[in-house]
Amino acid sequence: MGKTVFRSGVAAVKPGRRFVTAAMTAIGLVAALPALAETVTFRNFTLIDGRGGPEVPGSAMLVTDGRIIWIGTSAEAPAGDTVDLKGKFVIPGLIDTHVHIGNLHDLTQDERFYTRENVENDLKTYASYGFTAVAVMGTDKDDVFAIRKAQRADRPSTTRIYTAGQGIVFRGGYGGVPGINRPVATAKEATIEVDAQAAKGADYIKMWLDDELGTMPKMPPEISQAVIDAAHRNGLKVFAHVFYLVDAKRLARQGIDGFVHSVRDTPDDDELLGLMKQKGIVQVAGTVSREAAMFAYASPAPQLNDRFFQQSLSPEALKLLASPERQRSVAASAAYPRLRSFFDMAMTNMKREGAAGIPFGVGTDAGPPGRVAGYSGHWEMELLVKDGFSPGEVIHAATAVGAEILGARDIGTLERSKWADFVVLDADPLVDIKNTRKIDAVYIGGRQVKSVAP
C-alpha cells in the first residue's frame, strides 16, 4: 500500500482507496463506506479513550474519511489497509482551552505580528505536541474566521481552532493585546462589542476583569453584567480572566460560564465553590503552568536544555530566555517577589475545586513571552498531577472535558462517529503523566501530521 512516513514507522494512508472485507460485512460496516473512501484500520494498541474509564489493551479502530466508524478488539478488526501500533498507547488529541496565537515573534508580543502565516505556524506547533485543538481567548484578528471556516469545511491538516474573536476589556484597564482587544467604557458599548463578535461567528466570548495588581482600573459590575447578558442572548458562553476571589464571586452571581484562570489572591471559599457547583460554572483552565512560567526564567531554567521544550521555540527565543540579562530583568520586576505565591495559590485552588467536583479543562495561557506553545500543555498536566490529580483525571480533563467546555461534540474522545484525532505514545501515560511527551505520532482527522522529534 502507499504510505507516507514522517519520522516513525507509522504511516499516513493515501486517499482514494476502499476496502470491503468479509469481516467488515459481518460487523455491518459496508453500508457506512462511501465509494472511494479513505479507510484504514489501526490495531494492536492500548486504548485510553478519554472518557475516564480503564485502558483497553489489544484495541483496534477503523477510520473512514477521517472519522471513527468502529472500535473493538484487534482480533475482530477488519483486514485491509492497516497501521500496526503494537506496544503503543493511544489517547485522544489533547485540547488546550486557553491560548493566544499569532502575535509573538521570538519573545516580543505585538498585534503587528498577527498574520495568517504566523497563526498557521503556531497551529502546526500545537499539533506537533499532540494538541489537536486549541481555544484562543480573545486575541485573534478577523483572519481567524477564514482559517476556521476552511478547517470546518474539510479535514484539517493542523490543529483545530476555536476562537473568541476579539476579547472585551474595560477602557484603560488590563487585558488582551493592544490593537486587537475591544476596550469599552459603558454597558451599551459592551453590548455592541459582544453582538459584533457573535455576528462574526465567535465560538464564545472572552472578557478581562482585573486591575493588574492595582495598577489599572477594574471592569465595573454593570459592564461585566452587560457582557454576560449579551453573550447569553446570542447563545454563547462567556469566559472571564479573573485574579481576585471577590471578582470571581461577583461574576458567578452575574452568570459567568467559566474562569480561564484560578483565583490567585486567596483560597476559594465555600461560597464560591457552592456558586460554581450550583450554576455549573467550569474552571476552563487553571493555567498553573502560566504562573510557574512567570518566575521560572529568572534563573537558568532546566527546560532550556530539554529538547522537548526547545522544539517549540525559535533559536533566538531560546537564546533570549537563557541570557543572564533577561533573567535579571525577570527577577527585577516589581511583582517578582509575589509570583511564586500566586502559583502556590493557583495550585491550592485547583485542588479545592477538584475536591468539590467542579469540572476543569487543561489550559496554559501560552502565547505571551515565555509561555510556549505545545510544551506548556504537557507542563500543565505534570503540575496538575503534582497537585494531587491522577493521570487519568488529567487526561480526561485535557480531552473530553475540554471538548465539552467548547461545545465540540465530535472531538475529545475516541468513539464511533467522532473525528480520528489522536496521539500515539510509546509509554503508558496512566503510569506516568510525563509519558504524554513520548510521542510516536499525531493524527488529525485520521491523517498523520508532523510531530516533535524524540
Side-chain angles (χ1 to χ4, degrees):
M1 86 181 173
K3 296 184 178 181
T4 301
V5 178
F6 289 117
R7 63 169 184 80
S8 71
V10 181
V13 181
K14 292 182 178 180
R17 303 189 67 180
R18 184 181 186 190
F19 299 91
V20 179
T21 68
M24 292 165 72
T25 303
I27 56 179
L29 294 176
V30 173
L33 300 181
L36 298 178
E38 177 187 323
T39 298
V40 62
T41 301
F42 299 87
R43 63 174 73 238
N44 298 324
F45 58 87
T46 296
L47 174 66
I48 300 168
D49 66 11
R51 293 185 290 183
E55 59 189 14
V56 184
S59 291
M61 179 167 61
L62 185 65
V63 175
T64 291
D65 291 341
R67 288 190 180 268
I68 301 166
I69 66 168
W70 175 83
I71 292 181
T73 68
S74 292
E76 57 188 358
D81 240 355
T82 294
V83 175
D84 192 340
L85 300 178
K86 186 175 182 180
K88 308 296 184 183
F89 297 80
V90 169
I91 63 173
L94 300 166
I95 301 170
D96 193 326
T97 55
H98 184 170
V99 306
H100 304 281
I101 62 175
N103 295 298
L104 197 66
H105 177 70
D106 294 330
L107 293 185
T108 301
Q109 186 180 37
D110 194 287
E111 62 93 11
R112 72 181 187 274
F113 298 134
Y114 193 99
T115 64
R116 183 165 187 151
E117 180 182 9
N118 283 347
V119 169
E120 290 176 344
N121 285 339
D122 283 347
L123 294 176
K124 289 176 183 177
T125 298
Y126 277 105
S128 71
Y129 280 84
F131 281 85
T132 60
V134 295
V136 189
M137 285 295 166
T139 52
D140 279 323
K141 291 187 176 181
D142 286 350
D143 291 352
V144 73
F145 296 108
I147 297 170
R148 190 194 61 184
K149 182 179 180 181
Q151 285 190 345
R152 295 183 183 179
D154 199 359
R155 292 164 62 185
S157 57
T158 190
T159 289
R160 301 174 192 274
I161 193 169
Y162 295 79
T163 181
Q166 293 90 43
I168 313 300
V169 302
F170 182 51
R171 187 166 296 157
Y174 171 73
V177 175
I180 294 182
N181 53 279
R182 291 294 186 262
V184 299
T186 67
K188 182 178 180 180
E189 288 180 1
T191 298
I192 290 170
E193 288 296 348
V194 171
D195 287 346
Q197 299 309 314
K200 293 175 187 178
D203 294 302
Y204 42 84
I205 299 298
K206 161 74 181 294
M207 69 175 175
W208 282 262
L209 192 156
D210 200 353
D211 62 9
E212 187 62 352
L213 301 178
T215 63
M216 296 179 176
K218 184 183 296 186
M219 181 180 283
E222 65 271 17
I223 294 182
S224 57
Q225 187 68 69
V227 172
I228 293 168
D229 291 345
H232 290 170
R233 175 169 47 78
N234 281 286
L236 299 176
K237 295 179 182 178
V238 56
F239 303 136
H241 171 112
V242 294
F243 182 89
Y244 303 102
L245 175 64
V246 64
D247 294 335
K249 290 197 283 190
R250 181 231 286 187
L251 290 171
R253 296 187 195 100
Q254 289 183 323
I256 200 73
D257 295 289
F259 300 121
V260 297
H261 292 280
S262 296
V263 168
R264 287 158 282 166
D265 67 323
T266 190
D268 289 350
D269 61 15
D270 290 342
E271 181 184 7
L272 176 62
L273 295 174
L275 285 167
M276 292 181 75
K277 291 200 73 171
Q278 175 191 344
K279 294 175 175 288
I281 299 168
V282 299
Q283 189 65 52
V284 177
T287 65
V288 289
S289 62
R290 182 261 194 197
E291 303 309 320
M294 295 296 288
F295 59 84
Y297 304 106
S299 59
Q303 58 261 42
L304 293 172
N305 297 314
D306 180 354
R307 190 166 184 235
F308 188 75
F309 172 85
Q310 292 170 346
Q311 293 175 76
S312 64
L313 290 167
S314 69
E316 182 61 24
L318 286 168
K319 182 179 177 181
L320 287 169
L321 284 178
S323 70
E325 294 79 13
R326 183 175 179 86
Q327 291 167 9
R328 284 193 293 267
S329 72
V330 173
S333 71
Y336 179 75
R338 305 170 65 186
L339 295 177
R340 188 174 291 274
S341 69
F342 298 157
F343 165 75
D344 291 339
M345 190 57 64
M347 293 281 277
T348 293
N349 285 331
M350 285 300 297
K351 192 169 186 176
R352 287 178 66 84
E353 290 178 13
I358 292 167
F360 67 96
V362 167
T364 62
D365 199 13
R371 284 122 67 178
V372 301
Y375 172 87
S376 291
H378 294 274
W379 193 14
E380 182 85 8
M381 292 190 289
E382 177 189 359
L383 290 171
L384 289 169
V385 170
K386 287 182 178 178
D387 203 27
F389 296 96
S390 72
E393 288 173 322
V394 171
I395 291 172
H396 179 60
T399 55
V401 180
E404 185 176 350
I405 288 170
L406 298 177
R409 297 181 178 179
D410 52 2
I411 61 173
T413 58
L414 296 176
E415 52 188 315
R416 188 170 180 173
S417 83
K418 294 200 174 184
W419 285 113
D421 294 0
F422 60 94
V423 187
V424 181
L425 303 174
D426 287 329
D428 190 347
L430 299 187
V431 172
D432 183 350
I433 194 62
K434 292 183 75 173
N435 286 338
T436 61
R437 306 180 188 199
K438 296 180 178 179
I439 297 172
D440 181 76
V442 178
Y443 284 79
I444 297 177
R447 291 174 177 163
Q448 189 182 353
V449 300
K450 189 173 182 179
S451 56
V452 289

